[in-house]
Each structure stands twice: as structure tokens, then as C-alpha cells.
């Protein structure tokens, strides 16, 4: 597997020089300043590629070329936006970029309720508290019908929170779920006026009445439209699983489990319709047997995110150290390295540690925590390689 690292561009506090020193071979990045829906110009792509190459690495994966909301809910401007997407792919193809990660999650990408959850060893992890999430849905978003989406014990915990959460706690939760987590991945939340919560509600509106089946059809429509250009330039599209792998805020999600992924890969059997195997996202769903999924989907996997979670009582989960989560990462490395040479792999998130918290890194994307994880994974890779040659 190829050791890659997510980099947020020249504004990232982790520099290309730092990445090179710790043995990163390939960079995973995007033109983050270009709003979703606009075409990525060829000269901008070429300049980014040249910058990375001048530091002795390659641009291995685009993460992400974002799919506009109107493509996901099949709005009126869908075909125009797909045309723009195709033009971006063509420009990437001309520059020799062959792997593109994207997701098809309505409105909200990954969801966490705490970005710096203190762990007993003094480090911090990303954390999902199901009751806080329910509290946000019911009492902050005030989504109609939200209550019926939660089990009784979670509702009871959310009700208790409603009595104890201060105004400041609420503000912090909004900041975590909407502003911080989404902001650096997809750009600021919509244009529009008003508070983040109002803007979030407005973005959710077009999904009213969009069923899981409809969302699947919209993905198929999108994939069928872009496959010819992917074929022409040999570009692998790799869908990122939903994180966490369950429907959120009453909107459907279609990449949550083995049946969903099977559906996506079968609906458009073209080999350029591939998967980002994000072990971390999949591992946060108790229903997922992540190792079995790796065995099944390795042949269509084009990019791997290695990490995993630990599941806690009541539907909570915490991102685990790379050596101590519920998924055996050594086994995943065995499966993926048997399938394809040089499959790009990044360690995904890491712990926040050794001063990472005061530098201003994006949540989950600090330096020391990911460096430690990369070293651990590198050791696992070396052991697997040795096993293979025995
Ligand atoms: C979170 C990431 C996701 C991922 C996108 C890909 O840290 O794994 O935001 O980049 O879903 O489109």
C-alpha cells in the first residue's frame, strides 16, 4: 500500500516538508477554495500537482471533488452541475490524476459531538455521544418528527440534557456539528443569511420526501453520466461510506452497510465505479463486520482510510488508537495488499496529542497523532509484507 496523507493545501499547518520527513509518499488533497459546483481549472490542478512533486511526493488522490446538493436531490440544475463535474474530471485527467474520492451524504458529511474528548492517557479523541446528537436534532434543530427516530433510552438521556445544557453548551454543540466539522471539509455552510442552524435547515429542505430509493437512483444517474469521462481518462471514482453509517436528521443515507455498498457497485458495474474503504466510518456501526466487508469489496476498493472506533453503551462511539480499535487493521492490510499493489492508504484521523490542540489543525487532522498512527501502520505493513514472502 502507498502511504498517503491528507493535506488541506498551503494554509494547512502541516507542511509538505513535514510530510516528506515522516515518509509520506503521496498527498491526498483538493482545491479547497473552489466552491462546490464550480469547474476546477486545469492550470490550478497543474500548479498544485507541481507543488507537491517539487517536494518529492505525488498527488495520489483527490479528496474530495464535492458533489453538489442539487445532484444528490435531483434539483433543476442537476445536469448543469454534472456537466461542470465532468469538466473538472477532464481537467484532472489531463493532469494525470487518476483517483477521486467523493461522498453522497445529504447536507452533512461526518458527524461528531465532541472534537476533543479527553482520554485517560491525556490525549484527545473525536467522540460521538448519541444523546447529545438526539438533543441537537430535537431541541436545537427542532426537526419535526425527530423524536420517533431515537430509542427510548436515548430520548431519556436527551431530555435530561435539555435540563442541564447551558446556552454556551448549546452554542458549542452547534459549532461542533455544523460549523467546525463541516466547514473545513466542504467550505462554509451554504451562502444565505441567518444563523448556522437556520442555514442548515434551509439546506435540508429540498430533501423533504426524498427516499432512500430516490437517493440511490440519483447516485446511479450521476455515476452513469460521469463513467464515460472516467473511462476516457482512466479515473477511479471512489465513494466514501457514510459517517456514522446511519440516516441522520431524517434524511436518507445510502452507503451504510454491506448491502448498500453492494448495491452501489452492482448498479453501475464499471470498474471505475469504486470504493473508498473507510474502515473508521464503517466501524462506527455495530451492524458492520468490517473485516468481512474488506474481503468482499477489496476488488473494487481504490483508496483506503485506516483507523477504527470503539463502540460504547447507548450508541456512543469513540475514535480508537490505531492499535486498539474494534477492527484488526493488520488483517485489513493483509486483505488489501493481497488484492492490489500500491493502493493509496491514509491513516485518516489521529488522536490530538503532544500540543496538537494549540496549533490550529483541523479537528482529527493534527500532526503528532497522525504521525504516530502512520508509524504504527507502517510497522503493520512491514510485518504483513514479511509474512507474504515467507
Ligand atoms: C472526514 C472525512 C470525510 C471525507 C468525505 C469524502 O474526516 O473522512 O469528510 O473526506 O466524506 O468526500
Amino acid at each position: 500500500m502507498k502511504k498517503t496523507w491528507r493535506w488541506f493545501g498551503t494554509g494547512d499547518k502541516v507542511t509538505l516538508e513535514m510530510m516528506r520527513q515522516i515518509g509520506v509518499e503521496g498527498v491526498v488533497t483538493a482545491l479547497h477554495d473552489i466552491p462546490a459546483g464550480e469547474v476546477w481549472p486545469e492550470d490550478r490542478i497543474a500548479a498544485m500537482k507541481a507543488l507537491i512533486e517539487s517536494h518529492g511526493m505525488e498527488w495520489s488522490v483527490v479528496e474530495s471533488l464535492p458533489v453538489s446538493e442539487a445532484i444528490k436531490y435531483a434539483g433543476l440544475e442537476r445536469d448543469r452541475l454534472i456537466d461542470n463535474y465532468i469538466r473538472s474530471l477532464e481537467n484532472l485527467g489531463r493532469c494525470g490524476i487518476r483517483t477521486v474520492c467523493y461522498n453522497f451524504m445529504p447536507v452533512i458529511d461526518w458527524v461528531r459531538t465532541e472534537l476533543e474528548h479527553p482520554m485517560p492517557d491525556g490525549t484527545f479523541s473525536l467522540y460521538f455521544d448519541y444523546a447529545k446528537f438526539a438533543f441537537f436534532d430535537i431541541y436545537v434543530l427542532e426537526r419535526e418528527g425527530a423524536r420517533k427516530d431515537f430509542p427510548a433510552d436515548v430520548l431519556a438521556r436527551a431530555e435530561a440534557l435539555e435540563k442541564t445544557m447551558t446556552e454556551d453548551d448549546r452554542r458549542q454543540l452547534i459549532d461542533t456539528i455544523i460549523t467546525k466539522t463541516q466547514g473545513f471539509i466542504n467550505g462554509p455552510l451554504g451562502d444565505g443569511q441567518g444563523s448556522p442552524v437556520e442555514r442548515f435547515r434551509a439546506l435540508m429542505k429540498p430533501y423533504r420526501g426524498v427516499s432512500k430509493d430516490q437517493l440511490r437512483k440519483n447516485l446511479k444517474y450521476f455515476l452513469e453520466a460521469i463513467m464515460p469521462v472516467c473511462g476516457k481518462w482512466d479515473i477511479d471514482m471512489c465513494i466514501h461510506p457514510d459517517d456514522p453509517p446511519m440516516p441522520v436528521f431524517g434524511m436518507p443515507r445510502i452507503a451504510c452497510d454491506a448491502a448498500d455498498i453492494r448495491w452501489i457497485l452492482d448498479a453501475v458495474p464499471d470498474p471505475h465505479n469504486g470504493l473508498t474503504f473507510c474502515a473508521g466510518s464503517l466501524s462506527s456501526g455495530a451492524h458492520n463486520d468490517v473485516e468481512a466487508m474488506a474481503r468482499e469489496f477489496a476488488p473494487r476498493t481504490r483508496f483506503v482510510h485506516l483507523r477504527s472506533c470503539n463502540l460504547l453503551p447507548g450508541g456512543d462511539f469513540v475514535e480508537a488508537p490505531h492499535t486498539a480499535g474494534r477492527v484488526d487493521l493488520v488483517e485489513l492490510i493483509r486483505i488489501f495488499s493481497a488484492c492490489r499493489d500500491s493502493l493509496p492508504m491514509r491513516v485518516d484521523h489521529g488522536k490530538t496529542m503532544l500540543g496538537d490542540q494549540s496549533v490550529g489543525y483541523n479537528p482529527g487532522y493534527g500532526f503528532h497523532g497522525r504521525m504516530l498512527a502512520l508509524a504504527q501502520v507502517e510497522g503493520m505493513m512491514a510485518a504483513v509484507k514479511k509474512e507474504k514472502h515467507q
Side-chain angles (χ1 to χ4, degrees):
M1 292 173 119
K2 181 171 284 167
K3 292 175 285 172
T4 69
W5 182 279
R6 191 173 198 181
W7 185 59
F8 293 98
T10 47
D12 195 327
K13 299 271 195 291
V14 180
T15 62
L16 291 168
E17 286 83 0
M18 288 158 82
M19 289 156 56
R20 184 81 202 279
Q21 284 196 27
I22 61 168
V24 170
E25 296 160 325
V27 174
V28 174
T29 194
L31 301 182
H32 284 280
D33 59 312
I34 300 184
E38 285 182 22
V39 179
W40 287 14
E42 190 181 338
D43 59 338
R44 289 285 317 276
I45 300 168
M48 174 60 96
K49 187 172 183 246
L51 176 68
I52 294 169
E53 288 173 357
S54 73
H55 288 78
M57 294 173 287
E58 59 162 44
W59 185 354
S60 303
V61 181
V62 169
E63 180 173 357
S64 297
L65 182 55
V67 179
S68 309
E69 296 301 323
I71 296 179
K72 294 183 230 168
Y73 63 73
L76 287 176
E77 61 279 51
R78 151 163 88 166
D79 289 332
R80 180 184 66 78
L81 290 164
I82 293 180
D83 272 353
N84 283 357
Y85 204 96
I86 289 173
R87 283 166 60 199
S88 296
L89 287 175
E90 222 149 28
N91 291 341
L92 285 164
R94 277 193 199 100
C95 293
I97 313 279
R98 305 272 174 254
T99 311
V100 174
C101 168
Y102 71 102
N103 74 73
F104 218 73
M105 295 178 243
V107 183
I108 188 157
D109 189 325
W110 57 315
V111 189
R112 299 291 181 274
T113 58
E114 282 170 59
L115 303 177
E116 284 189 5
H117 182 79
M119 301 304 286
D121 61 3
T123 61
F124 301 89
S125 283
L126 296 167
Y127 193 93
F128 180 86
D129 180 318
Y130 200 17
K132 272 195 190 164
F133 173 76
F135 166 83
F136 178 84
D137 197 359
I138 299 166
Y139 298 104
V140 179
L141 272 187
E142 298 175 324
R143 183 173 64 86
E144 222 184 289
R147 285 176 166 276
K148 70 170 178 10
D149 289 349
F150 299 99
D153 61 316
V154 175
L155 276 180
R157 278 164 62 208
E159 272 157 26
L161 282 173
E162 169 15 48
K163 298 196 175 71
T164 52
M165 294 273 282
T166 62
E167 265 314 300
D168 207 46
D169 294 335
R170 285 171 200 240
R171 243 194 313 273
Q172 224 175 27
L173 192 60
I174 295 169
D175 200 45
T176 297
I177 297 182
I178 304 187
T179 315
K180 282 213 187 93
T181 331
Q182 307 310 311
F184 74 92
I185 300 272
N186 294 322
L189 196 80
D191 296 330
Q193 304 282 310
S195 68
V197 171
E198 280 159 17
R199 274 180 285 152
F200 193 68
R201 285 196 194 113
L203 285 170
M204 285 171 52
K205 224 171 168 179
Y207 286 94
R208 257 190 221 150
V210 175
S211 63
K212 175 167 182 175
D213 195 44
Q214 189 58 50
L215 191 63
R216 277 180 164 173
K217 284 195 181 117
N218 299 346
L219 172 64
K220 187 166 190 262
Y221 182 92
F222 166 70
L223 284 172
E224 281 173 347
I226 64 171
M227 279 301 113
V229 76
C230 294
K232 177 172 172 203
W233 294 102
D234 193 22
I235 294 175
D236 287 329
M237 291 300 296
C238 18
I239 191 163
H240 188 285
D242 303 328
D243 183 358
M246 62 182 188
V248 295
F249 305 132
M251 296 177 291
R253 283 188 159 195
I254 53 172
C256 294
D257 56 24
D260 283 350
I261 294 172
R262 216 171 282 138
W263 188 91
I264 293 168
L265 300 178
D266 290 349
V268 181
D270 190 311
H272 293 106
N273 171 29
L275 176 67
T276 296
F277 195 94
C278 178
S281 308
L282 296 170
S283 74
S284 64
H287 54 277
N288 284 330
D289 176 344
V290 181
E291 287 136 51
M293 291 172 85
R295 267 176 224 113
E296 178 173 352
F297 300 121
R300 295 281 289 274
T301 295
R302 306 288 182 250
F303 181 32
V304 179
H305 289 181
L306 282 184
R307 71 175 169 85
S308 85
C309 294
N310 278 322
L311 305 180
L312 304 168
D316 295 6
F317 65 84
V318 61
E319 294 198 8
H322 282 62
T323 47
R326 70 180 279 255
V327 179
D328 178 356
L329 297 187
V330 177
E331 184 58 16
L332 293 196
I333 293 168
R334 262 186 212 117
I335 296 166
F336 288 116
S337 48
C339 204
R340 237 187 199 220
D341 275 342
S342 303
L343 193 60
M345 173 287 301
R346 67 175 182 87
V347 294
D348 204 23
H349 309 152
K351 298 200 283 185
T352 299
M353 63 196 293
L354 302 173
D356 281 340
Q357 56 277 29
S358 55
V359 183
Y361 298 125
N362 290 326
Y365 290 96
F367 183 64
H368 292 109
R370 280 191 296 161
M371 176 170 74
L372 174 65
L374 181 61
Q376 291 169 328
V377 164
E378 206 169 3
M380 298 179 198
M381 283 164 52
V384 169
K385 196 167 174 190
K386 194 150 183 215
E387 243 171 42
K388 246 171 112 175
H389 294 107
Q390 261 162 10

